[in-house]
Amino acid sequence: LKLYFNASELITNKGVASKDGVSVDETDLGIIHEGALVTDDTGKILWLGRTMDLPRRYSKITRRMDLSGKIICPALVDCHTHLVFAGARHSEFAMRIAGKSYSDIAAAGGGIKSSVEQTVAITEEKLFKISKARIEAMMAYGVRIVEIKSGYGLSWPEERKLLRVAQRLKASFADKLIIRVTFLGAHAFPKWCKTKQDRDQFVDEICEVMLPAVKREKLADACDVFFDKGYFDRRQSEKILRKARLLGLDIKLHADELADTNGAALAAEMRCLSADHLLKAKLINLKKMAKAGVTAVILPGTAFYLGLPYVDMKKIRKSGVTPALATDYNPGSSPCLNLPFMMTLACTQMGMTTAEAFGAATYGGARALGVHKQQGHLSVGMRPLLSILRVTSYQALIAEYAHPGFSV
Ligand SMILES: [Zn+2]
């Protein structure tokens, strides 16, 4: 058995789970002050409550952890990252700050294609090493569940390389983290796609070659598509998602980030696990997502970094959709591994309350990955991953912004 005791806050998210992450307020976090938690050797929760109420049968436990001055809570979840890539695009940042437009940057060789070139150029072994260091950095922020997308290969051998790196990360962190791998072969069109026929041919290759191989080699849990203006259109996105679902993969969608292309509606129609970004999504389509049980993954890091308008929390509340928060960690639009900072941005820039932000970065993230039955909240009988943070309240985690890391 293992005993955790004297926690400044033991956060159970009891009400967050029972409300399915919608209209969360602070009472829903189920905060127990001076909290204690008993687990068996498999991590199953046997008891939780106030330290002073600890049943006598648990008072002799020798494996014990004094959490004075710390909080213990359900694992923080970063449910949207593009973590496996090589190189950097810092010069694009400098160009943007200097007032250059998106097309200037593309003309100078920037954008996703630049990361593809830099990623293709290095070995699987090197890619594994740099990605591993990123996961370790992420863990310092208390993140214990991470989603990793491929998408900087854009050909089957290279996409396979990225997915294999993600699978190796999954295996090497298996005792500390849950890693979910998402195939995002449809991240952008490769260089050789010049005409509509070429682009359709690439979509066919994803459906007929890549997805069956992903399934056969057990390389991913889910499939995602970049459905947006200038990227994959509705017909192409739907084709890829249908094929992925047929093969038994979970499906997700990058939707309505650059333009409102009714991506949120497509995600609802296809019953995706989540639709992500949603900067331009209409209320009526968010309502469809709510009805279909699709989680809204909000990525305030990109709006912050690119200087774009944020998702409006009033609209999210009105729609009744479950929100999740993630970093969208990637080299171009959000090179930031700090999930608590995303909570800060959600509060100061989008109008989330601190309780909403906390629920979205825990339960909401777990829901966006389809693991919210076992993760994202704590109750007796569950076997959830836990985050332990060196702060005295969950509010401190959000208020002490851009902190270099609180994790124990
Ligand atoms: Zn993304």
Side-chain angles (χ1 to χ4, degrees), residues 65 73-79 135-147 173-180 339 361-362 369 371 375-376 384-390 406-408:
M65 194 169 178
C73 60
L76 299 192
V77 184
D78 197 341
C79 66
I135 299 238
E136 281 157 1
M138 198 169 246
M139 286 175 70
Y141 300 113
V143 173
R144 291 290 176 273
I145 302 177
V146 186
E147 187 245 21
F173 288 96
D175 54 335
K176 300 187 193 86
L177 291 176
I178 293 176
I179 293 179
R180 303 288 286 180
L339 184 63
T362 50
L369 299 177
V371 298
Q375 305 293 337
L385 285 181
L386 303 166
S387 292
I388 298 173
L389 298 152
R390 228 177 289 109
F406 301 100
S407 187
V408 171

Side-chain angles (χ1 to χ4, degrees), residues 13-30 290 296 298 313-324 351-360 363-364 367:
N13 271 357
K14 192 171 179 223
V16 179
S18 66
K19 288 166 117 177
D20 201 19
V22 179
S23 307
V24 165
D25 63 41
E26 195 167 279
T27 58
D28 296 319
L29 300 187
I298 299 166
M313 193 53 198
K314 279 194 217 109
K315 207 153 93 177
I316 296 291
R317 281 193 202 106
K318 212 169 180 182
S319 72
V321 76
T322 305
M352 270 196 186
T353 65
T354 52
E356 282 172 329
F358 187 82
Y363 180 84
R367 193 179 189 273

Side-chain angles (χ1 to χ4, degrees), residues 80-82 149 184 187 224 226 254 276-277 299 328 330:
H80 183 138
T81 84
H82 304 253
K149 299 178 198 293
L184 179 59
H187 192 194
D224 191 350
F226 203 126
H254 277 68
D276 303 36
H277 284 290
L299 306 160
D328 192 19
N330 78 78

Side-chain angles (χ1 to χ4, degrees), residues 71-271:
I71 66 170
I72 183 167
C73 60
L76 299 192
V77 184
D78 197 341
C79 66
H80 183 138
T81 84
H82 304 253
L83 187 125
V84 181
F85 64 85
R89 283 161 43 197
H90 304 144
S91 59
E92 287 177 34
F93 175 72
M95 284 175 78
R96 230 176 8 251
I97 296 301
K100 295 277 191 285
S101 72
Y102 186 83
S103 48
D104 294 334
I105 292 169
I112 292 173
K113 289 187 175 93
S114 153
S115 290
V116 172
E117 274 166 27
Q118 299 182 74
T119 305
V120 166
I122 73 162
T123 63
E124 185 177 314
E125 194 54 39
K126 272 195 186 144
L127 199 52
F128 173 74
K129 274 199 187 129
I130 53 178
S131 304
K132 187 164 175 274
R134 289 176 188 143
I135 299 238
E136 281 157 1
M138 198 169 246
M139 286 175 70
Y141 300 113
V143 173
R144 291 290 176 273
I145 302 177
V146 186
E147 187 245 21
I148 302 175
K149 299 178 198 293
S150 69
Y152 293 111
L154 306 187
S155 71
W156 178 237
E158 291 300 326
E159 281 297 306
R160 185 169 179 271
K161 180 171 92 181
L162 270 76
L163 292 170
R164 281 171 51 97
V165 167
Q167 289 296 339
R168 280 179 66 188
L169 294 168
K170 190 190 245 191
S172 53
F173 288 96
D175 54 335
K176 300 187 193 86
L177 291 176
I178 293 176
I179 293 179
R180 303 288 286 180
V181 180
T182 300
F183 169 62
L184 179 59
H187 192 194
F189 287 102
K191 234 190 203 156
W192 61 265
C193 290
K194 303 256 193 288
T195 64
K196 185 182 169 293
Q197 278 86 344
D198 291 345
R199 291 192 287 274
D200 280 343
Q201 195 188 319
F202 182 60
V203 170
D204 285 344
E205 198 184 317
I206 289 174
C207 292
E208 304 311 323
V209 180
M210 300 195 201
L211 277 170
V214 165
K215 180 69 186 174
R216 198 169 51 240
E217 298 182 35
K218 296 191 173 67
L219 289 171
D221 306 293
C223 173
D224 191 350
V225 176
F226 203 126
F227 173 31
D228 219 315
K229 197 178 161 206
Y231 289 82
F232 293 80
D233 67 21
R234 187 187 159 100
R235 188 178 50 83
Q236 294 163 336
S237 304
E238 202 177 323
K239 187 170 180 183
I240 295 166
L241 294 180
R242 281 197 193 283
K243 179 70 183 193
R245 198 168 54 184
L246 199 66
L247 290 167
L249 295 169
D250 286 332
I251 52 175
K252 303 170 81 71
L253 194 63
H254 277 68
D256 302 331
E257 179 189 6
L258 310 171
D260 176 14
T261 54
N262 292 309
L266 178 63
E269 224 172 272
M270 298 288 300
R271 304 207 170 246

